[in-house]
Amino acid sequence: MVTEDLGQKLVEARLITEQALQKALQQQKSSGGSVTASLVKIGALTEEQLLEFLSSHFRVKAVDLRHTEPDPTVVRLLPSELATKFLAVPLARSGRRLTVALAQPSNLFAL
């Protein structure tokens, strides 16, 4: 899903207005970053609202990394270059399954 589609989904969910989306798109063009980060920056919605929406939209569990301490032995399982590139934080391991928090759960290349 491209970021513009995600912005439109936020409008459809009535979490932001079309005007806020257009303002965020303009800010993204001038400053870079993501539309969702711009929406939070301009105050159109809070990080918590965005986190809740993304969790529901992508049908994944939301994790607030401000309140989660990753296990250092698990963190070492994902090379730092990949973690940085995909904004990923390994959280837990169960057998051969590694649970990873992603800043952009729509990024299929990260999976």
Side-chain angles (χ1 to χ4, degrees), residues 31-105:
S31 304
S34 69
V35 172
T36 52
S38 293
L39 285 164
V40 171
K41 189 173 183 178
I42 65 172
L45 76 166
T46 66
E47 286 183 355
E48 290 77 15
Q49 289 172 312
L50 179 59
L51 183 64
E52 186 177 319
F53 172 80
L54 293 173
S55 174
S56 173
H57 184 73
F58 291 110
R59 296 184 182 115
V60 295
K61 181 181 174 191
V63 177
D64 187 343
L65 294 176
R66 295 174 294 191
H67 306 294
T68 303
E69 187 67 37
D71 180 345
T73 59
V74 174
V75 169
R76 285 185 242 138
L77 296 174
L78 184 65
S80 61
E81 299 82 27
L82 289 177
T84 301
K85 180 179 181 177
F86 295 114
L87 301 174
V89 178
L91 297 175
R93 178 180 178 187
S94 177
R96 295 178 48 106
R97 178 176 284 176
L98 181 63
T99 302
V100 179
L102 294 170
Q104 298 175 330

